[in-house]
Amino acid sequence: MNSAPLSGLYAPSLSLLTDLYQVTMAYGYWQQGLQDREAVFHLYFRRPPFQGGYAVAAGLAYAVDFLQNLRFSEDDLAYLGSLQGAKGGAMFPAEFLDYLRELRFSCDVDAIAEGTAVFANEPLIRVQGPLLQAQLVETALLTLVNFQTLIATKAARIREAAGSDTVLEFGLRRAQGFDGGLSASRAAYLGGVDATSNVLAGQRFGIPVKGTHAHSWIMAFENEEEAFTAYAKAFPDDSVFLVDTYDTLEGVRKAISVARQMRARGHELGGIRLDSGDLAYLSREARTLLNEAGFPDVRIVASNDLEENLITSLKLQGARIDTWGIGTQLVTAYDQPALGGVYKLAALRKPDDSGWDFTIKLSEQLAKTSIPGILQVRRYESEAGQARADMLYNTAEPLPEQLTLVDPLDATRRRTVRPEAPYRELLKPVFRRGKLVHQLPTLAESRAHAQREISSLDPSIRRFLNPHTYPVGLEESLNTFRTNLILEKRPQQKT
Ligand SMILES: Nc1ncnc2c1ncn2[C@@H]1O[C@H](COP(=O)(O)OP(=O)(O)OP(=O)(O)O)[C@@H](O)[C@H]1O
Ligand SMILES: O=P(O)(O)OC[C@H]1O[C@H](OP(=O)(O)OP(=O)(O)O)[C@H](O)[C@@H]1O
Ligand SMILES: O=C(O)c1cccnc1
Ligand SMILES: [Mg+2]
């Protein structure tokens, strides 16, 4: 179910899921005879979203599905063949289209598992292989990974605020298109929500589907009692009544009255839902009414423009909410509309095959200057499994005996690594020479992994307000190499 999340959604081929410039560069590389020059790219982001301290990696299953099915159909080639340049001639000659017809993805791909807690500058995906191919997949990988990582992170924050309460994702109606809604439901589940109202996501990904009913259900009947009674008839053991259509606390009393009739027939009301007004006050009052009437197990569901900060505030106000229904703010990633993940060239095989040329993109800001090498991410952990610090290092160079992590933004900030410190390597082989060599976990396994990963982070990294920065250092020799490469590439200013 999880292994081909894209297939069938977009028929018949997704290989043109790219920016035109990837195809024009591919043509240029082919014309120059550079198509098979071995290259290494890293996909990473520069700052965690929502001014938070971490992100939850997501979208890899989509990326794998895309790469596995990368081939240009006759329709794709006909379309590319129809594109014209400024003077009206074909943009791409027939010989190049013939090349694309035979093209099969043959790169090595290493990636960090979905659900892993990740930080700025860490490659979530590393692609190594023929330059033309490794470049061609940039846009698809970014669009597939950026959005889901963003939403999984938002969901993890909402989970953090909700603690052990149930969280339902209700966002499809407000999502950025149906495809945004579908991948948002998947990523939200991965990041920690318990269920979705999105039935297509339930079918495609095996996410539990849950829900209540709308105000229109109440409005379609003469009065609330009639509406509740009718709903209970349809779902005698699975009813949650929406109580705020006319007057919330009156609605609660009517729900109690119908719940008594249900009980007399051997059924129990599952819950009530509050969707407006002061949710702290109303949930407390509703809890009192329900408890006094002998319904301590009827759950209180709340919805209405909720997000992690509001949940935190409602809890501080003593709200008695058991289940949080969250739509718009979760699936639109309020208030950060995009994760700024990038895909940068980091190494090119020397033309004479004598080793690597490591490449760098300079920027006015050091934070935006890329990191050269064929990178791996090593996570050091305490004996109890708490994440302590991550080290980026160049796998193409030998590691020194004594490892020192250097802050890429401030080389005076360093920490040495105890030789016996336990660690794991986060990037794992996914493709070798274009063949899938990795058994993808199920979505439920990735979700469980995310829960473990987030709990391995110190609360100071997880908090919403001014979180502590998790230490991600460059291995010292990589940092020195990068500094020297910056000096070599940057023109000397003269005064
Ligand atoms: N106790 C509370 N503390 C802080 N914010 C709250 C509290 N109770 C509700 N809210 C939030 O305040 C906002 C109220 O929004 P709004 O005024 O649109 O809703 P409403 O008038 O209650 O509902 P509606 O317009 O759907 O009938 C919502 O985002 C809601 O989640
Ligand atoms: O508020 P969200 O987090 O997006 O959660 C989903 C919302 O969708 C439904 O109503 P809808 O917003 O369609 O109408 P309403 O606000 O008028 O009830 C539901 O009652 C929630 O309010
Ligand atoms: O099931 C619900 O209560 C629901 C579903 C979608 C949007 N709002 C609420
Ligand atoms: Mg609403």
Side-chain angles (χ1 to χ4, degrees):
M1 203 176 314
N2 194 20
S3 59
L6 289 166
S7 60
L9 261 190
Y10 307 86
S13 157
L14 262 188
S15 298
L16 297 186
L17 180 68
T18 189
D19 293 307
L20 179 64
Y21 82 164
Q22 312 292 8
V23 191
T24 56
M25 284 188 284
Y27 172 51
Y29 285 142
W30 175 81
Q31 193 180 53
Q32 296 288 320
L34 287 173
Q35 67 275 17
D36 290 327
R37 179 104 176 259
E38 194 176 6
V40 178
F41 286 82
H42 298 126
L43 185 157
Y44 61 97
F45 58 83
R46 299 190 181 105
R47 206 182 303 148
F50 315 113
Q51 303 191 17
Y54 67 95
V56 176
L60 179 61
Y62 274 58
V64 166
D65 188 11
F66 173 80
L67 295 174
Q68 265 195 302
N69 292 296
L70 183 64
R71 66 187 53 188
F72 294 94
S73 70
E74 290 306 320
D75 282 352
D76 296 338
L77 296 166
Y79 173 70
L80 292 176
S82 76
L83 296 178
Q84 297 188 340
K87 291 212 165 150
M91 201 173 244
F92 304 112
E95 300 75 40
F96 177 63
L97 299 177
D98 289 340
Y99 172 82
L100 289 185
R101 181 176 289 110
E102 300 306 319
L103 187 71
R104 297 291 176 270
F105 184 66
S106 66
C107 296
D108 290 353
V109 177
D110 292 73
I112 296 183
E114 288 190 284
T116 305
V118 286
F119 305 95
N121 295 319
E122 299 186 337
L124 308 191
I125 301 184
R126 187 181 80 209
V127 179
Q128 175 168 345
L131 176 59
L132 181 151
Q133 296 181 36
Q135 174 71 67
L136 189 63
V137 300
E138 166 177 1
T139 307
L141 295 186
L142 285 171
T143 189
L144 296 173
V145 169
N146 272 330
F147 182 65
Q148 291 203 45
T149 299
L150 184 71
I151 301 298
T153 308
K154 185 70 172 175
R157 293 163 64 84
I158 288 167
R159 161 56 61 209
E160 178 87 34
S164 57
D165 301 344
T166 302
V167 180
L168 308 178
E169 178 268 304
F170 282 169
L172 181 57
R173 67 191 55 201
R174 302 279 151 59
Q176 323 285 24
F178 90 93
D179 43 357
L182 190 60
S183 48
S185 293
R186 179 183 186 277
Y189 183 64
L190 201 160
V193 312
D194 294 291
T196 181
S197 63
N198 182 342
V199 181
L200 184 61
Q203 182 198 34
R204 291 190 73 89
F205 305 128
I207 305 172
V209 288
K210 287 232 157 52
T212 70
H213 64 72
H215 293 111
S216 48
W217 174 266
I218 305 291
M219 289 142 72
F221 290 84
E222 201 52 44
N223 56 50
E224 277 176 312
E225 284 101 324
E226 221 179 81
F228 292 158
T229 304
Y231 201 79
K233 180 156 189 260
F235 298 99
D237 300 303
D238 298 284
S239 281
V240 176
F241 298 155
L242 177 57
V243 293
D244 73 334
T245 306
Y246 305 121
D247 176 284
T248 302
L249 294 179
E250 272 311 303
V252 176
R253 290 188 186 95
K254 287 171 186 153
I256 288 171
S257 150
V258 175
R260 288 204 174 97
Q261 296 160 27
M262 292 166 70
R263 185 171 279 175
R265 293 194 293 273
H267 301 293
E268 289 296 320
L269 176 62
I272 60 163
R273 176 160 74 99
L274 311 173
D275 190 44
S276 58
D278 183 329
L279 295 173
Y281 166 76
L282 290 170
S283 65
R284 283 198 306 268
E285 293 295 310
R287 187 74 271 159
T288 304
L289 290 173
L290 288 163
N291 288 1
E292 283 173 353
F295 292 98
D297 295 330
V298 169
R299 297 171 67 82
I300 299 180
V301 184
S303 52
N304 191 16
D305 258 318
L306 296 172
E307 41 76 46
E308 63 271 34
N309 294 305
L310 245 163
I311 293 173
T312 306
S313 165
L314 287 166
K315 280 179 173 275
L316 281 172
Q317 294 171 54
R320 298 293 301 274
I321 293 163
D322 307 293
T323 298
W324 306 87
I326 317 213
T328 312
Q329 305 232 17
L330 171 52
V331 303
T332 64
Y334 191 86
D335 59 352
Q336 177 161 347
L339 179 72
V342 296
Y343 186 80
K344 297 290 171 201
L345 182 68
L348 266 180
R349 182 79 72 181
K350 285 186 194 296
D352 65 1
D353 210 11
S354 65
W356 293 97
D357 279 327
F358 298 114
T359 58
I360 197 162
K361 162 73 179 77
L362 297 185
S363 164
E364 288 298 307
Q365 300 150 269
L366 190 53
K368 282 191 150 190
T369 297
S370 69
I371 301 171
I374 303 175
L375 301 181
Q376 174 59 278
V377 185
R378 182 175 288 189
R379 177 155 302 163
Y380 289 98
E381 293 171 320
S382 70
E383 272 71 15
Q386 288 289 108
R388 288 278 191 238
D390 289 3
M391 175 177 81
L392 303 188
Y393 68 96
N394 184 0
T395 60
E397 299 289 341
L399 274 180
E401 268 307 280
Q402 173 58 60
L403 294 175
T404 303
L405 276 58
V406 181
D407 183 335
L409 296 181
D410 178 357
T412 64
R413 293 165 67 98
R414 295 158 174 258
R415 54 172 72 206
T416 52
V417 178
R418 289 179 296 119
E420 71 280 10
Y423 66 83
R424 10 181 211 129
E425 309 276 34
L426 298 188
L427 284 158
K428 296 272 182 353
V430 178
F431 286 89
R432 282 295 172 268
R433 300 194 148 268
K435 292 273 164 302
L436 189 64
V437 294
H438 174 71
Q439 166 90 42
L440 284 177
T442 66
L443 184 59
E445 286 165 349
S446 295
R447 180 176 184 274
H449 176 59
Q451 293 307 301
R452 284 193 300 276
E453 283 281 314
I454 295 157
S455 62
S456 81
L457 301 180
D458 192 82
S460 65
I461 311 287
R462 283 162 28 195
R463 72 173 175 240
F464 303 149
L465 194 61
N466 302 322
H468 199 218
T469 303
Y470 179 84
V472 177
L474 304 190
E475 187 277 316
E476 188 175 20
S477 61
L478 172 61
N479 188 66
T480 307
F481 177 76
R482 178 181 186 232
T483 307
N484 289 337
L485 196 55
I486 295 171
L487 290 170
E488 183 190 315
K489 297 286 178 196
R490 180 170 290 157
Q492 284 282 318
Q493 304 282 342
K494 290 210 180 75
T495 301

